[in-house]
Amino acid sequence: MAEKMFGKALKRVEDPRFITGTGNYTDDIAVHGMVHAAMVRSPYPHAKIKSIDSSAALALPGVIAILTGKDLVGAGINPIPTGWLLPDLKISAHHAIQPEEVNHVGDIVAAIIAETRAIAEDAVALVDVDYDVLESVSLGSTALAAGAVQVHPEAPGNLAFDWTIGDAAATDAEFAKADKIVKLELRNHRLVPNAIEPRASLAEYKRAGDEYTLHTTSQNPHIHRVMIGAFVMGIPEHKLRIVSPDVGGGFGSKIFQYPEEVIVLFAAKKVNRPVKWTARRSESFVSDAHGRDHETVAEAAVMNDGTLLALRVNTIANLGAYLTTFAPAVPTYLYGTLLNGTYKWKAIHAHVRGVYTNTVGVDAYRGAGRPEATYVVERIVSTVARELGMDPVDIRRKNFIQPSEFPYQTPVALQYDSGNYEPAMDMALEKLGYKALRAKQAEMRKQGKYIGIGVCTYLEACGLAPSALVGSLGAQAGQWESALVRVAATGVVEVLTGSHSHGQGHETAFAQVVADELQVPVEHVVLVHGDTARLPHGWGSYGSRSAPVGLSAITMACRKITDKAKKIAAHLLEASVEDMEHVDGKYQVKGVPERSKSFFEVALMAHLAHNYPADLEPGLEATHFYDPKNFVYPFGTHLAVVEVDADTGRTKLIRYVCVDDCGPIVNPLIVEGQVHGGVAQGMGQALLENTVYDASGQLVSGSYLEYTMPRADDMVQLEIGHTVTPSPHNPLGLKGIGEAGTIASTAAVANAVIDALEPFGVRHMDMPFTSEKVWQVIHASQLAQAADD
Amino acid sequence: MADKVPITLTVNGTKHSVHVEPRTLLVQFLREHLSLTGTHVGCDTSQCGACTVHLDGMAVKSCTMFAVQADGSSVTTIEGIGEIGHLHPLQQGFWEMHGLQCGFCTPGMIMSAADLLQHNAKPSEAEIRHALEGNFCRCTGYHNIVRAVQHASGQIQNQAQAADD
Amino acid sequence: MQLEGFNIIHATPEQVFVALQSPDMLAKCVPGVKKLEVESEGVFKTTLEVSVGPVKGSFSGKVSVLDAVLNTSLTLKVEMRAPVGIASAIGKIILEPQDAATKVHWSGEPQLGGMIASVGARLIGGVAKAQADIFFTKLEQELTSKA
C-alpha cells in the first residue's frame, strides 16, 4: 500500500526554485523589444485636469508615446467595472487614465512609454499637468456629514450604498428586555496590504492574429480576462491570454483588475512593442487597493448573568474614490453576515453605509470583512464580560452555539453547518496555562508590571462560495472552481486548476491529495495554474477557497479518472467494470490480485487505445466544475499575551496561543505557515500598521519609513494547536485556513492590550496601540490619580 | 543622460567588465544586465531587504548602492551561494522548516541570515530576530524563518564538528 | 505644520530688504537653486534641487513677493512642482533692526503633495529649518563680504 500523503508534512515542491533565486515573477520576465511604462500620478486628492502639456516629455530622447485619458476614451476603452452590485449602488466611472478629474493622490493622469524605465520616469517629470485643485475629503464620517465635499456627482452625499441586514424590530425588542446595554465606538483603521512583490504587468501584442498576452501579478487570471476582455477593452477571450507566473504574495490586493494592466495592453498595441510596468513601492501605497477603514458604533443587549441577547451595529465603510472589483461585497455580505460570531444572539441588526472619499479604493484585504466583524463582536463580548465582572472565557462558554445545535441558523443569513467551539477553546487555555497566568498577572500588577491576556473565539465563513447564493447577493459571477486532471501516456498526472497559488503551496498540497486519490507517487503529479491559455475557466484564490473549492474540484475530477481507469482495466483484463476495484495503486478484479493492471499500464493503454470497444473512449482525462453547497465555517480560539511598559508605553506581544479548526489538514507545514503569517498581519494591525491621510488629503504614511510593517523582532514563536471538525458538504471535509490567523489575531491582541490597561481605567481605545498612544492614556490616568491623591 | 562608465566586478565568481550608466543601481545591474533575477526589489526606501546581496563578504542592500560603487568588488547573490544538489545550509534550512511561502523575500532573507551566521555561528533566537530586522516578510510571520536559521546554524556546527573529528 | 524661526544678519534692514528681492542674491543664496529668473515685477521663475529624506527632486515653479513694506516686511508665495510631488508655502518675513544687525523673523506653513508628502512629510520641519539656516548664512556672507 502506498504511503498516504494526506496529512503529511511534506516539504514543498515549489521551494527549490525560490531558495535558489530561480523563481519566475512577472518583473523577472524580459522579452525582445520590450519598452517600459511609467505613470504620471496626481499629487492632489481632488482636482480637475485643465490641460496636459506633454511636449517636453515627448521631446526627451527615448520617449515613444504618451497616453492620456482622452486617448483611451477616444479609442473606446471603457471604465473598469466593479464585480459586485448592490441594490441602488451609485457608481462613478473608474477610468484607467482619468480624462477629466482626479479623485485621489496617485490617480493616473498620463502614461509614458519609453525605451527604458529610467527614461520613462524622467519623462514623468516633464509632463506639465495644469490642475484646478478642488476641496477633498478623506474620512468616511466626514464625507457623510451635511455639506461635505462632493466626491462624485453620481453619489449625492457621497453615499455609494445604504445596506442593512437582520431584523431591526426583533433587535429592538431584545434591547427592551435587556438588563444592560454595552456600547462601543470602534475604528477599524485603514491598512495597506503590502505584498512584498510590487505589482507588475507585461503586455505583448501580436499583429498577426490581433492577439494579446498579459503577464501580471494576479491571484485570479480568469477574473482579469473577463474584466479586461469583456468589459474594459472588448477583446475576445481567445485573443487575450493572461498569465500569472510566480506571485510574491497577494493578501487580496492582487485580486483586483487595475488600471495599469489596461494601460500596458493598450500601449503594447499602440507602439507595437511589448510594454512592461512595475510599481515602485511608493506607487504601491497610492495604487494598490487598501483594506478595512470602518467607523462603527456597536451596542450589545445583555442580561446580568452574561446571556447575550442582541447586537446592533452601525458602520460607515470608507470605500475610497472608486469601487474596485469586490469592494461593495466586503463591508456588506462578508461583514454583516459574520456579526453573529460563535454565539447564540437572538437578534442582530446591522446598518452599513458605503462612502466615497478622495482616497485609494478599499477592497478585500486578508479576511475581507470578516476581521472587521470579528473585531466588533470579540471586542464587545470582552467589554460586556468586563462590565459584568465576568471572565472573558466564561461569557464565551456560556453563549457558544452547542455542537447539537448545528445546522445553526444565525439572525444574519448564514446557516452554520458544523462546529464545536469549546474543545478548541479548552485546548488553547490549557496550552497557555490560562488560570495560572491570570494569577501571575494580578501579582505583576502589584509590582507595577502590566501584562494583558486577550481572548478571541472567532468563526469565519470562507470557501467562496455557493454560486447561486453569491449571485443572489449581487455577485456578477459564480464562484465555483474548475479542475482538469490529465494523465499522460507515461503516467504523469497533470492537474490544471483554476485556483492560483501565490505562496500557499498548492503545487505540494494539491499533489498530495491527487496522489492519494489516484494512488500514484506524489512526484508524478504536476500542478498547472495561472495561465488562461492552458486552463479551463476558473476563479482563482481568495476568501480561503483553494482547499475547500479548488481542491474539491480536483478530487472530483480524480474520481472520474478512477472510474474511467477501471473501465480501461476491465477491458484490458476482459472483466466487467462492476468487478473492478482500485487497490494499492492497481486496478484489479475484486479479490484476484493476479488479475490487475497498474496505473502506468492503464495510462499507456488509454493513449495507445487501438483495440477499444465502441463504447470506450480513448484517453484519460477528466474535468470537473465544483460548486460548493455552502460556505465552510472554520473556527478557533486565539489567546494573545502582551506586555505594556508603563514608563514608555511600549506594547509588545510576548506569547501567542492559537487553536484553529480548519477540518482535516492536508499538509500541516503549510497550514501552520498560513496561521503564522495571518497572525503576524493581524498583530501588525493591532500594534503597528496605520494608513494616515492628513487634513489636506495627502497620504503621509506612504513608505516603509512611515508605515510600520511587522519585523522579525515584533513577533514571537506561536504556540499552535488544532481540532478537526470536517465540513459536512465537500468531498474531503476541507475548510479554509488562509485568513483565519488575520481574522482572529487583531481582536485577540486588541483585547490583550485593553486588558493590560485595565488598571489605568482604559475601557477602550482605538488601534494601533503605538507606544505614544499607550503612553498618553497611562500618563493621563497617572495625572488624574495624582490629582485625586 | 550621463556617459556610460566602465566597471569591472566579480559576480558569483565570474568577472564582468562592462559599461553602465552612472545611475544604474547595483540591483538593477544584477537583474537587468546579468539576468540574475533572484535578487528582488520590494521597496524604494531601503527597508524591505529583498535585494540583499554580499559585497566582498558583507551583506548590503543592492538597491542602496550604484553599480559603479561596486567597481573592483566581488558580489555574491542568491544564485551564487548554492544550487540544487549543493544547497547552502540556509537554503536547506528554509526548505526543511518551511521558511518561505511566496518566496519573494527569501533570497534577501537567506543572504542576510548568511551574513549573521558568518559572524555568529550559534545565534540565539533574539539575535536571529535582531539580525533580520532589515528584511520584511509578509507571509511567514517570521516563525519558520527563525527556525530555518536555527536549522542552518545546527547544520553548520555539525559540519564543523565533523571536520574536526 | 506651522514653522517659524529667526536668523540674525549683520547688515541693515535696508540691505536685507533689497537682497531678499534681488534675483542675483537669491540665485546665490537659495540652497539648491539651479535657475532663477525674473518673470515679472516681484515674480521669479526658479528651479531648485531639494531633498527631503529619501526623496530628491528638481522643483520648478514660481516665487512671488507680496505685500512688501519697505525695509520692514514682505510675504513670499512659493508654488513649486516636481516629479516627486508638489510643494507650496506662504512665508512671512519681518525685519527687525537689532543694533547694527537685522533680526529676520520668518514663519510659514509648507504644504506638500504627492510622493514627497507620503515619504517625507514628517521630515519637512527639519528640512525647512536647515534650508532657512543655509539661506540666511549665505545671505550674511554675501552682504558682509560686499561691505
Side-chain angles (χ1 to χ4, degrees):
Chain A
M1 176 81 199
E3 191 185 3
K4 197 165 185 259
M5 287 293 131
F6 195 108
K8 233 181 144 213
L10 212 62
K11 278 194 299 185
R12 298 201 320 172
V13 300
E14 39 277 90
D15 286 1
R17 66 178 187 269
F18 296 132
I19 56 179
T20 54
T22 50
N24 184 40
Y25 301 91
T26 300
D27 188 55
D28 297 343
I29 303 168
V31 293
H32 181 69
M34 182 171 84
V35 296
H36 298 261
M39 306 301 156
V40 180
R41 296 180 184 274
S42 170
Y44 298 105
H46 197 192
K48 291 266 184 221
I49 301 167
K50 278 176 18 194
S51 64
I52 300 175
D53 178 358
S54 49
S55 53
L58 262 176
L60 189 71
V63 171
I64 299 163
I66 297 179
L67 307 173
T68 65
K70 295 209 164 102
D71 296 332
L72 267 60
V73 171
I77 305 299
N78 293 314
I80 298 166
T82 182
W84 198 300
L85 300 179
L86 299 174
D88 202 26
L89 183 68
K90 303 289 191 294
I91 300 173
S92 177
H94 180 199
H95 294 277
I97 304 180
Q98 293 308 316
E100 289 170 5
E101 186 175 305
V102 289
N103 290 295
H104 66 85
V105 172
D107 219 352
I108 300 172
V109 290
I112 314 278
I113 313 300
E115 293 289 344
T116 69
R117 187 177 186 181
I119 295 171
E121 290 178 350
D122 284 346
V124 166
L126 300 173
V127 177
D128 191 1
V129 185
D130 196 7
Y131 295 99
D132 188 359
V133 180
L134 305 171
E135 293 287 307
S136 69
V137 61
S138 50
L139 183 67
S141 53
T142 311
L144 271 187
V149 172
Q150 185 70 37
V151 179
H152 300 299
E154 296 86 351
N158 298 318
L159 191 64
F161 61 79
D162 193 321
W163 181 89
T164 62
I165 192 168
D167 186 333
T171 304
D172 290 346
E174 295 298 328
F175 269 76
K177 285 185 230 160
D179 287 340
K180 189 173 173 65
I181 292 165
V182 173
K183 183 174 171 184
L184 273 183
E185 289 184 25
L186 303 156
R187 174 102 168 89
N188 198 307
H189 59 287
R190 181 183 283 240
L191 301 175
V192 180
N194 276 310
I196 304 298
E197 180 204 23
R199 284 191 296 118
S201 301
L202 166 61
E204 294 168 81
Y205 175 72
K206 283 204 183 79
R207 256 188 200 172
D210 192 26
E211 290 171 354
Y212 297 82
T213 299
L214 179 71
H215 282 79
T216 195
T217 46
S218 169
Q219 299 177 212
N220 30 247
H222 286 95
I223 289 184
H224 279 70
R225 188 174 68 175
V226 167
M227 291 186 70
I228 296 170
F231 295 97
V232 182
M233 298 185 75
I235 305 168
E237 282 193 321
H238 64 292
K239 290 180 184 291
L240 176 60
R241 175 185 179 191
I242 312 273
V243 185
S244 181
D246 287 330
V247 173
F251 317 112
S253 69
K254 291 171 182 166
I255 297 171
F256 323 120
Q257 202 268 289
Y258 285 100
E260 295 86 352
E261 293 158 339
V262 175
I263 293 168
V264 292
L265 282 166
F266 180 84
K269 181 172 183 179
K270 187 176 166 75
V271 307
N272 201 27
R273 309 231 339 235
V275 179
K276 186 200 265 186
W277 169 81
T278 301
R280 298 284 180 198
R281 180 59 60 184
S282 48
E283 288 185 279
S284 308
F285 273 98
V286 295
S287 68
D288 291 4
H290 292 176
R292 319 285 189 251
D293 206 342
H294 285 193
E295 294 166 82
T296 293
V297 178
E299 293 171 284
V302 301
M303 300 305 283
N304 285 333
D305 67 355
T307 302
L308 303 173
L309 297 178
L311 186 63
R312 194 187 276 143
V313 175
N314 201 322
T315 293
I316 298 170
N318 188 340
L319 303 170
Y322 307 108
L323 297 177
T324 51
T325 309
F326 278 170
V330 175
T332 54
Y333 291 107
L334 294 175
Y335 169 70
T337 55
L338 268 292
L339 288 167
N340 186 77
T342 46
Y343 313 110
K344 288 189 276 188
W345 300 96
K346 294 181 171 60
I348 298 174
H349 186 255
H351 178 202
V352 182
R353 285 171 292 171
V355 183
Y356 285 113
T357 60
N358 296 111
T359 61
V360 175
V362 177
D363 206 318
Y365 166 54
R366 201 169 192 170
R370 290 152 289 164
E372 295 92 313
T374 303
Y375 186 66
V376 171
V377 176
E378 294 299 305
R379 276 293 299 123
I380 207 159
V381 167
S382 280
T383 307
V384 169
R386 180 150 139 196
E387 298 196 353
L388 294 177
M390 287 177 79
D391 189 290
V393 168
D394 296 339
I395 193 167
R396 287 170 165 85
R397 199 182 297 283
K398 183 176 177 67
N399 290 282
F400 274 157
I401 301 162
Q402 296 302 307
S404 59
E405 293 170 309
F406 293 94
Y408 183 85
Q409 179 60 52
T410 74
V412 276
L414 294 180
Q415 190 182 71
Y416 300 168
D417 56 20
S418 60
N420 191 3
Y421 307 140
E422 282 193 69
M425 185 167 77
D426 287 334
M427 189 190 288
L429 294 171
E430 173 76 26
K431 274 181 180 291
L432 183 71
Y434 182 74
K435 281 205 172 118
L437 195 62
R438 281 283 180 211
K440 188 179 169 196
Q441 177 187 32
E443 211 40 53
M444 287 174 77
R445 281 182 184 177
K446 288 179 197 155
Q447 299 156 20
K449 291 202 163 105
Y450 302 95
I451 62 166
I453 307 168
V455 182
C456 173
T457 49
Y458 77 100
L459 165 138
E460 66 152 321
C462 66
L464 303 179
S467 296
L469 176 63
V470 294
S472 73
L473 301 179
Q476 298 300 293
Q479 284 169 349
W480 43 265
E481 195 49 87
S482 69
L484 195 171
V485 176
R486 179 183 290 150
V487 182
T490 54
V492 169
V493 182
E494 212 179 26
V495 178
L496 296 90
T497 172
S499 294
H500 184 274
S501 182
H502 34 283
Q504 297 91 337
H506 294 174
E507 290 168 48
T508 310
F510 286 13
Q512 287 177 256
V513 168
V514 173
D516 283 354
E517 284 290 331
L518 300 181
Q519 299 181 18
V520 297
V522 69
E523 55 277 11
H524 290 190
V525 183
V526 177
L527 196 78
V528 179
H529 65 104
D531 184 347
T532 60
R534 296 188 66 188
L535 309 172
H537 195 98
W539 293 108
S541 290
Y542 43 84
S544 301
R545 68 193 300 273
S546 297
V549 189
L551 199 40
S552 293
I554 292 171
T555 304
M556 300 307 284
C558 284
R559 291 178 184 176
K560 289 180 181 172
I561 293 279
T562 300
D563 288 346
K564 172 77 182 288
K566 279 185 188 166
K567 284 185 195 163
I568 296 169
H571 162 68
L572 296 174
L573 294 164
E574 297 178 351
S576 102
V577 178
E578 293 71 36
D579 290 340
M580 298 305 297
E581 59 181 359
H582 186 202
V583 178
D584 289 351
K586 288 184 171 164
Y587 301 88
Q588 69 181 35
V589 178
K590 278 177 192 159
V592 193
E594 336 50 282
R595 292 191 65 201
S596 70
K597 289 287 170 188
S598 69
F599 184 78
F600 171 71
E601 288 170 304
V602 169
L604 185 65
M605 292 316 293
H607 289 80
L608 299 183
H610 50 76
N611 59 353
Y612 270 23
D615 60 345
L616 188 59
E617 268 182 57
L620 190 54
E621 70 174 59
T623 302
H624 192 89
F625 291 84
Y626 178 81
D627 198 351
K629 292 186 187 72
N630 193 348
F631 294 100
V632 292
Y633 299 96
F635 60 86
T637 294
H638 285 217
L639 302 172
V641 185
V642 299
E643 184 169 37
V644 176
D645 180 336
D647 294 330
T648 63
R650 166 116 163 125
T651 301
K652 217 173 154 15
L653 188 65
I654 56 172
R655 278 187 74 190
Y656 199 94
V657 172
C658 50
V659 175
D660 297 288
D661 190 319
C662 63
I665 291 172
V666 179
N667 183 325
L669 270 186
I670 291 173
V671 163
E672 291 186 3
Q674 288 294 315
V675 174
H676 299 152
V679 168
Q681 280 177 351
M683 181 285 303
Q685 174 172 26
L687 297 183
L688 305 167
E689 300 174 35
N690 198 6
T691 309
V692 183
Y693 281 93
D694 73 6
S696 65
Q698 293 292 335
L699 178 70
V700 293
S701 58
S703 84
Y704 288 148
L705 295 168
E706 280 80 12
Y707 190 96
T708 317
M709 291 277 282
R711 295 172 188 265
D713 68 348
D714 293 311
M715 284 300 293
V716 291
Q717 292 301 98
L718 309 184
E719 300 159 63
I720 290 186
H722 299 282
T723 59
V724 178
T725 309
S727 165
H729 68 74
N730 67 47
L732 300 171
L734 303 176
K735 303 191 286 191
I737 191 66
E739 297 163 295
T742 310
I743 289 168
S745 58
T746 304
V749 175
N751 278 339
V753 175
I754 302 302
D755 184 54
L757 295 175
E758 187 186 5
F760 302 101
V762 176
R763 177 180 181 268
H764 175 73
M765 63 186 283
D766 284 329
M767 305 179 286
F769 305 108
T770 58
S771 303
E772 185 205 353
K773 267 164 81 174
V774 171
W775 182 84
Q776 294 282 6
V777 298
I778 292 174
H779 189 61
S781 154
Q782 288 167 337
L783 285 180
Q785 187 71 38
D788 284 352
D789 290 345
Chain B
M1 210 186 307
D3 287 341
K4 290 191 175 181
V5 293
I7 58 170
T8 298
L9 71 173
T10 303
V11 180
N12 300 332
T14 305
K15 195 167 172 181
H16 298 271
S17 291
V18 291
H19 287 72
V20 295
E21 259 194 79
R23 66 175 171 181
T24 305
L25 297 170
L26 178 57
V27 66
Q28 208 181 337
F29 174 74
L30 296 170
R31 289 178 56 79
E32 294 169 18
H33 295 240
L34 304 185
S35 295
L36 293 170
T37 54
T39 303
H40 297 146
V41 179
C43 77
D44 44 16
T45 52
S46 304
Q47 309 283 305
C48 81
C51 65
T52 307
V53 300
H54 289 184
L55 184 78
D56 297 326
M58 294 269 290
V60 296
K61 291 182 176 177
S62 62
C63 74
T64 309
M65 61 184 295
F66 295 109
V68 293
Q69 292 174 285
D71 188 18
S73 294
S74 175
V75 175
T76 307
T77 70
I78 185 71
E79 291 93 340
I81 68 158
E83 57 191 11
I84 295 303
H86 302 280
L87 291 175
H88 184 280
L90 275 161
Q91 291 173 313
Q92 193 71 44
F94 272 71
W95 194 8
E96 297 292 335
M97 305 315 286
H98 186 35
L100 63 146
Q101 290 179 28
C102 80
F104 195 80
C105 75
T106 311
M109 277 293 174
I110 289 177
M111 299 312 285
S112 287
D115 186 88
L116 167 71
L117 294 184
Q118 278 172 29
H119 301 104
N120 180 357
K122 207 179 165 185
S124 66
E125 184 190 328
E127 286 170 333
I128 295 169
R129 289 183 182 277
H130 181 69
L132 297 179
E133 268 198 349
N135 293 73
F136 288 161
C137 173
R138 196 61 156 167
C139 294
T140 65
Y142 305 98
H143 186 108
N144 285 342
I145 290 177
V146 170
R147 294 174 65 206
V149 178
Q150 288 168 333
H151 185 276
S153 161
Q155 288 294 108
I156 290 168
Q157 284 164 62
N158 288 343
Q159 284 167 10
Q161 185 73 40
D164 285 352
D165 290 347
Chain C
M1 186 199 304
Q2 181 71 30
L3 300 171
E4 56 184 357
F6 65 86
N7 292 70
I8 308 283
I9 294 184
H10 293 91
T12 64
E14 291 76 8
Q15 287 173 300
V16 176
F17 188 79
V18 171
L20 284 175
Q21 297 174 79
S22 148
D24 288 348
M25 201 59 99
L26 291 174
K28 280 181 192 155
C29 301
V30 174
V33 69
K34 290 280 170 248
K35 195 174 83 180
L36 191 135
E37 55 199 42
V38 179
E39 188 182 88
S40 59
E41 174 74 34
V43 181
F44 307 106
K45 259 179 82 173
T46 181
T47 303
L48 301 174
E49 289 283 344
V50 180
S51 43
V52 179
V55 186
K56 193 170 151 192
S58 178
F59 282 79
S60 48
K62 271 195 275 191
V63 179
S64 319
V65 179
L66 312 170
D67 313 326
V69 179
L70 188 67
N71 301 338
T72 310
S73 68
L74 51 86
T75 300
L76 294 175
K77 185 179 174 197
V78 183
E79 298 160 289
M80 306 291 281
R81 279 211 319 240
V84 294
I86 46 173
S88 61
I90 302 271
K92 179 95 184 150
I93 293 178
I94 299 170
L95 308 177
E96 183 192 338
Q98 204 170 57
D99 304 324
T102 304
K103 187 173 183 184
V104 184
H105 299 268
W106 51 267
S107 60
E109 188 167 13
Q111 292 279 349
L112 298 181
M115 196 218 288
I116 199 164
S118 30
V119 181
R122 87 197 142 86
L123 305 168
I124 189 65
V127 171
K129 178 78 176 75
Q131 300 282 94
D133 282 340
I134 295 168
F135 172 72
F136 288 113
T137 306
K138 281 199 177 165
L139 192 67
E140 164 150 315
Q141 278 168 6
E142 289 295 325
L143 289 172
T144 51
S145 69
K146 267 184 191 170

